[in-house]
Amino acid sequence: MKGRLAGVVGGLVLLVVAGACSRSKENAPQAAGGDAGSAAPQVAQVKLALNWVAEPEFGGFYAARDLGHYKRRGMDVSIQGGGAGVPVMQMVASGQVDFGIAGADEILTARARGVDVIPLFAVYQTAPQALMTHASRGAKGIKDLLSSGTVALEPGLPYAAYLKKKYGFDKVKVVPYDGGVARFVADKDFSQQCFITSEPIAARRQGADPSVFLVADEGFNPYIAVLITRRALWKEQPSRVKDFVEAVREGWRAYLDDPAATNAVMGKLNTSMDAETFAEAARAQKPLIETEQTRAKGLGTMSRERWDTLARQLVDLGLIDKVPASDDFLLPEFVDMGSPAPATP
């Protein structure tokens, strides 16, 4: 898959949490001038760090900025693009940025190492992580895909550990994933990891006919593209955190309804993807983001049950030592929401 997943476990040992509280106070709105009664409050400067480059999986965050949803809540938000090895968790925990994007499995692993970050909004309700193989092989699922041939998997991925425990890798040759789809296109016995919004589209554009199987359908389904902040910011500025989440929700609603304008903005930031690929990826991801659960409870909804299930799976895989108490990191304001989502226009 993409380099954004590299080092999910190993990179966490570098986290530095000292001074996590210091920067949140810098962003508090302050009255301009000496007369607090007459001066308008300044717009707060807020930073959001992505874990990959500008692509449709972040469309709602950009839409919220460009449509003014942050600004209307008193925030001027700068979005920092990511890439392979960008330490988003460290940046959030240490206060270099106010918010960041990470996977749910990465969040739980970080918390097990003492990093006090909290999840606020889950973009992908169904994880887009998948394996793809050539349709000519006739595989009906991941079990068949792993029965022969070669598969490229990035070492250390939790879902790779899950699939190995479930099916074993004794019948397939596992090689490191090197990015891209060139080898896949050239070798009919070659399979690889992917995001269904990325590599399969690229492979089809190059003449291949991939069959794609979601890891989520095998029972491992972490929330992906989860908005996080540090607990210190929540304690000091809960209203701002809530406002940011609501702006993000509005941004995602707008992007899902009409992604074209935001895709054009992101396309200028990520010239490796053309407009057609942006549009295809946006279409492919929509059913993973807008689900029965989000239609009932709102975009970005999260449940304690899902987090507890994932934690138990990570314990079973030996990636964390124990299931954390959900009250230690899940805030009632952002999980198990019960109010119906606004009707789609």
Side-chain angles (χ1 to χ4, degrees), residues 120-125 223-227 289 294 299-302 307:
L120 306 169
F121 182 101
V123 174
Y124 284 97
Q125 301 293 304
Y223 294 118
I224 300 296
V226 180
L227 179 69
I289 295 171
T294 66
L299 291 171
T301 186
M302 302 181 295
W307 281 98

Side-chain angles (χ1 to χ4, degrees), residues 194-208:
C194 64
F195 264 36
I196 69 167
T197 58
S198 180
E199 288 87 351
I201 294 172
R204 293 187 188 102
R205 296 283 292 275
Q206 296 183 40

Side-chain angles (χ1 to χ4, degrees), residues 143-212:
K143 181 178 180 180
D144 293 339
L145 182 154
L146 295 174
S147 66
S148 64
T150 300
V151 61
L153 283 170
E154 196 170 311
L157 292 178
Y159 77 75
Y162 177 86
L163 293 175
K164 183 177 182 179
K165 185 166 186 175
K166 184 172 183 178
Y167 293 122
F169 289 166
D170 54 308
K171 296 179 181 178
V172 65
K173 180 181 179 181
V174 178
V175 299
Y177 175 65
D178 60 2
V181 296
R183 185 173 176 184
F184 179 86
V185 172
D187 186 349
K188 298 299 183 182
D189 290 324
F190 188 82
S191 305
Q192 69 173 68
Q193 65 183 55
C194 64
F195 264 36
I196 69 167
T197 58
S198 180
E199 288 87 351
I201 294 172
R204 293 187 188 102
R205 296 283 292 275
Q206 296 183 40
D209 183 19
S211 293
V212 185

Side-chain angles (χ1 to χ4, degrees), residues 75-304:
M75 293 176 285
D76 182 12
V77 175
S78 62
I79 302 176
Q80 302 180 9
V86 172
V88 172
M89 199 74 68
Q90 176 182 348
M91 294 164 69
V92 173
S94 63
Q96 296 175 54
V97 297
D98 305 284
F99 301 94
I101 305 298
D105 45 2
E106 183 182 2
I107 293 166
L108 287 173
T109 303
R111 287 199 57 84
R113 296 176 183 270
V115 184
D116 200 9
V117 295
I118 51 177
L120 306 169
F121 182 101
V123 174
Y124 284 97
Q125 301 293 304
T126 301
Q129 299 158 332
L131 299 186
M132 69 180 189
T133 192
H134 292 271
S136 59
R137 294 186 62 194
K140 302 299 183 184
I142 288 179
K143 181 178 180 180
D144 293 339
L145 182 154
L146 295 174
S147 66
S148 64
T150 300
V151 61
L153 283 170
E154 196 170 311
L157 292 178
Y159 77 75
Y162 177 86
L163 293 175
K164 183 177 182 179
K165 185 166 186 175
K166 184 172 183 178
Y167 293 122
F169 289 166
D170 54 308
K171 296 179 181 178
V172 65
K173 180 181 179 181
V174 178
V175 299
Y177 175 65
D178 60 2
V181 296
R183 185 173 176 184
F184 179 86
V185 172
D187 186 349
K188 298 299 183 182
D189 290 324
F190 188 82
S191 305
Q192 69 173 68
Q193 65 183 55
C194 64
F195 264 36
I196 69 167
T197 58
S198 180
E199 288 87 351
I201 294 172
R204 293 187 188 102
R205 296 283 292 275
Q206 296 183 40
D209 183 19
S211 293
V212 185
F213 306 106
L214 284 169
V215 176
D217 291 337
E218 299 294 335
F220 189 80
N221 186 26
Y223 294 118
I224 300 296
V226 180
L227 179 69
I228 61 172
T229 192
R230 60 191 181 279
R231 186 178 296 274
L233 184 60
W234 166 250
K235 288 181 176 180
E236 294 171 10
Q237 301 178 25
S239 295
R240 178 172 300 167
V241 173
K242 290 179 182 178
D243 284 346
F244 191 87
V245 172
E246 284 309 307
V248 164
R249 185 171 288 110
E250 290 181 3
W252 271 107
R253 178 70 274 154
Y255 183 78
L256 292 172
D257 290 343
D258 185 3
T262 304
N263 282 347
V265 171
M266 293 189 294
K268 295 178 181 179
L269 302 172
N270 178 11
T271 57
S272 66
M273 286 179 64
D274 59 29
E276 183 179 350
T277 302
F278 265 102
E280 287 186 46
R283 287 193 295 270
Q285 73 177 9
K286 187 172 182 178
L288 308 181
I289 295 171
E290 190 168 27
T291 65
E292 181 180 347
Q293 287 75 24
T294 66
R295 283 186 284 272
K297 298 184 177 182
L299 291 171
T301 186
M302 302 181 295
S303 77
R304 292 176 186 275

